[in-house]
């Protein structure tokens, strides 16, 4: 209807992109040096994995056979 304001949607995540939400999520304060580097690398691998299996274009989306070969798994 005209003149009716919509309520803003809920904001479930702090950031607007998948990458930002995963990379900026706080790491454990106990992680230092190599452990912190490994955590960051695991997060990057996770992002790559999710983008592969959740790709909108079905021609570019990974098959289960492709996904199982990803280093994150």
């Amino acid at each position: 209807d005209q003149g009716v304001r919509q309520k803003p949607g809920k904001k479930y995540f702090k950031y607007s992109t998948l990458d930002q939400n995963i990379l900026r999520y706080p790491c454990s304060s106990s992680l230092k040096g190599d452990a912190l580097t490994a955590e960051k690398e695991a997060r990057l691998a996770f992002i790559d994995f999710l983008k592969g299996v959740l790709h909108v274009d079905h021609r570019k989306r990974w098959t289960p056979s492709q996904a199982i070969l990803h280093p994150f798994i």
Side-chain angles (χ1 to χ4, degrees):
D1 291 328
Q2 200 171 14
V4 176
R5 289 188 140 166
Q6 289 186 345
K7 294 180 184 178
K10 289 184 179 182
K11 188 171 181 180
Y12 293 97
F13 299 100
K14 186 174 182 177
Y15 303 104
S16 59
T17 69
L18 175 70
D19 294 38
Q20 290 173 334
N21 278 292
I22 293 172
L23 292 174
R24 294 182 180 174
Y25 189 82
C27 292
S28 170
S29 60
S30 65
L31 293 179
K32 306 279 189 252
D34 290 342
L36 184 58
T37 300
E39 174 67 18
K40 289 179 181 178
E41 289 174 0
R43 289 180 185 209
L44 290 171
F46 182 53
I47 292 167
D48 185 58
F49 175 78
L50 287 178
K51 286 182 175 181
V53 297
L54 299 176
H55 202 290
V56 175
D57 185 344
H58 69 92
R59 293 168 296 190
K60 295 180 181 178
R61 189 180 313 128
W62 297 350
T63 64
S65 299
Q66 291 170 310
I68 197 84
L69 298 175
H70 192 273
F72 181 75
I73 299 300

